[in-house]
Amino acid sequence: MEKVRLGVIGLGNMGSSHCHHIHVENKVPGLALGAVCDVSEARREWAQKHLPGVAVFENVTDMYKSGLIDSVLIAGLHYDHPAQAIEAFEHGLHVLVEKPAGVYTRQVLEMNEAAARSGKVFGIMYNQRTNPVFQKVRDLVQSGELGAMKRVVWIVTDWYRPQAYHDSGSWRSTWKGEGGGTLINQNPHNLDLLQWMLGMPSRIRSFCSFGKYYNIEVEDDVTAYLEYDSGATGVYITSTGEAPGTNRLEISGDMGKIVVENNQITFHRNRISEREHNRVNTELFKKPESWICQLPAASNGGEQHIGIMKNFTKAVLHGEKLLAPGEEGIHGLLISNAIHYSTWVDDWADLNNFDHDHFYELLQERIANSKVNKQVEQKVADVAGSH
């Protein structure tokens, strides 16, 4: 195989952007757009006009059976991601799935099992893993440079979305159509990075507000307290209703504190471990000597979506290791589900023994009790600068 022929499911904001990068701008060497699929007649007409030479399908199965593609990028509705991935594996296709991996962990576990049986390349569009800043932070933590972690605080309230955004599609910001709000739509990248850099928390106690700032039924303001098996703790705060928002990550450890803001890393580095200082120090108020270090890491954000597609293509063609394996999508989603679950049951959520079935039941209750009935024609916008 000299080229990977890709089919794209869903021609909304992200799907259309991916098609443009691949077919119009040719930004992904070795990847060719073989077909696209969307249930919307308007979006299929758009594809016929803007993606010359690309086959257009209304039905996913028909595209899978066409023989025109070797792989598929799934960028449609969140609930459909796992089922469409499982069917793709059954047709012998490699799969790259947009975030989130799914809406509830039970369906994503089934998708991961299907991927393992297939032996095909399975990736997820966690494009923030290409950011050199987060790669550097991960290295500092996992190499032991920061020492044992004590606390993490991430305030990520710069995912502002006005009411016009929530009104731009009948599925948006609903339990039935999207499966949640800011946790399932805007925050999957941050929740993935949280566990990718620091590992999984063991339990979560959260407080979500639903429709606090907008006329929506899902969460638009979240505060979550995290505990880790190591004894470290964390606070995760996010909202789509603050402007201007903040994106500030602080990770405290024995060897100091890492601060990430404005895509730059500042390391407040202790000369010796705080625990060692505490052991040997005899002065009442003396702190460890600390140096403020600006760490070198490119602040351009990395190649983002294009980088993930390049990596996926090389994995199919040459066996390159995936930066974002699809199986890892379960981790960030488990944190997301646990935050919802803790608020719904007004108690702790145990991630080591998460009740996948009970979460699913509670989600179905919210879908059944929904009063939302939006009759909105889908609006597709340029997503540049929105992620």
Side-chain angles (χ1 to χ4, degrees):
M1 188 187 298
E2 295 182 357
K3 281 210 172 215
V4 179
R5 300 172 302 165
L6 181 74
V8 173
I9 300 173
L11 297 173
N13 294 345
M14 292 311 309
S16 300
S17 175
H18 297 324
C19 290
H20 187 79
H21 288 322
I22 298 165
H23 192 69
V24 179
E25 297 182 335
N26 296 310
K27 287 189 174 182
V28 188
L31 188 63
L33 188 62
V36 296
C37 180
D38 200 296
V39 296
S40 166
E41 182 178 358
R43 298 310 297 159
R44 294 197 301 275
E45 290 176 354
W46 173 89
Q48 290 167 345
K49 179 179 179 181
H50 292 90
L51 304 173
V54 176
V56 180
F57 292 87
E58 179 180 0
N59 181 274
V60 169
T61 303
D62 290 342
M63 184 176 75
Y64 288 168
K65 291 180 176 179
S66 68
L68 298 173
I69 60 174
D70 313 297
S71 61
V72 61
L73 195 167
I74 299 171
L77 298 179
H78 299 160
Y79 279 104
D80 295 339
H81 289 182
Q84 290 173 345
I86 291 170
E87 185 180 356
F89 290 130
E90 291 171 348
H91 282 87
L93 301 173
H94 305 285
V95 173
L96 177 59
V97 64
E98 259 292 352
K99 60 80 182 171
V103 174
Y104 50 93
T105 49
R106 197 172 81 175
Q107 63 173 179
V108 175
L109 289 169
E110 294 172 356
M111 176 174 66
N112 286 354
E113 290 170 0
R117 289 194 302 269
S118 74
K120 295 297 179 179
V121 174
F122 179 33
I124 188 167
M125 190 63 80
Y126 279 148
N127 47 281
Q128 289 299 326
R129 291 192 184 189
T130 70
N131 189 328
V133 166
F134 294 123
Q135 292 177 349
K136 175 72 77 173
V137 171
R138 183 174 189 261
D139 177 60
L140 288 169
V141 171
Q142 297 197 353
S143 68
E145 185 82 8
L146 184 62
M149 185 176 76
K150 295 181 175 180
R151 187 189 315 278
V152 55
V153 178
W154 202 344
I155 303 173
V156 52
T157 57
D158 61 343
W159 286 119
Y160 181 73
R161 295 292 187 270
Q163 187 69 46
Y165 170 86
H166 300 293
D167 293 343
S168 66
S170 59
W171 60 279
R172 280 202 186 281
S173 307
T174 65
W175 293 117
K176 182 179 180 180
E178 197 162 22
T182 185
L183 288 172
I184 204 72
N185 195 321
Q186 285 77 42
N187 278 263
H189 291 301
N190 304 92
L191 296 178
D192 171 63
L193 290 171
L194 188 71
Q195 66 82 28
W196 188 59
M197 294 185 293
L198 308 178
M200 289 290 288
S202 56
R203 65 176 192 157
I204 290 175
R205 183 67 175 96
S206 65
F207 303 89
C208 300
S209 296
F210 304 93
K212 181 177 183 178
Y213 298 114
Y214 306 106
N215 182 25
I216 58 176
E217 63 183 2
V218 295
E219 80 284 350
D220 53 9
D221 190 77
V222 174
T223 300
Y225 173 74
L226 295 72
E227 289 187 352
Y228 292 79
D229 285 334
S230 65
T233 61
V235 179
Y236 187 83
I237 299 170
T238 189
S239 175
T240 54
E242 297 182 24
T246 296
N247 193 334
R248 180 181 174 90
L249 171 64
E250 290 191 10
I251 309 169
S252 299
D254 288 346
M255 290 302 298
K257 178 177 69 175
I258 295 170
V259 177
V260 180
E261 195 167 21
N262 300 319
N263 215 31
Q264 295 182 332
I265 308 170
T266 303
F267 189 4
H268 300 257
R269 188 184 187 282
N270 294 335
R271 188 174 184 184
I272 65 170
S273 161
E274 180 279 325
R275 293 286 79 192
E276 176 64 14
H277 170 83
N278 184 68
R279 187 182 69 83
V280 301
N281 173 63
T282 58
E283 299 181 32
L284 270 64
F285 299 105
K286 185 178 181 180
K287 300 177 182 179
E289 182 179 343
S290 182
W291 307 330
I292 299 177
C293 310
Q294 295 298 135
L295 299 190
S299 60
N300 58 9
E303 289 193 294
Q304 295 291 317
H305 300 93
I306 293 169
I308 293 294
M309 288 190 285
K310 284 181 177 179
N311 174 232
F312 176 77
T313 302
K314 291 177 181 178
V316 174
L317 292 177
H318 311 299
E320 181 173 286
K321 182 179 179 180
L322 287 173
L323 175 61
E327 293 85 355
E328 294 183 8
I330 189 73
H331 303 315
L333 182 65
L334 177 55
I335 298 174
S336 173
N337 281 186
I339 293 174
H340 273 142
Y341 187 79
S342 173
T343 295
W344 291 346
V345 301
D346 196 21
D347 202 351
W348 287 93
D350 182 352
L351 280 74
N352 293 329
N353 300 283
F354 191 66
D355 194 335
H356 306 283
D357 292 332
H358 192 210
F359 175 86
Y360 177 75
E361 291 170 8
L362 294 176
L363 176 60
Q364 296 310 303
E365 287 179 10
R366 276 148 185 81
I367 294 172
N369 294 327
S370 174
K371 301 294 191 296
V372 174
N373 184 22
K374 292 197 290 183
Q375 302 297 324
V376 182
E377 182 178 349
Q378 181 184 1
K379 297 180 181 178
V380 177
D382 185 356
V383 296
S386 68
H387 47 265

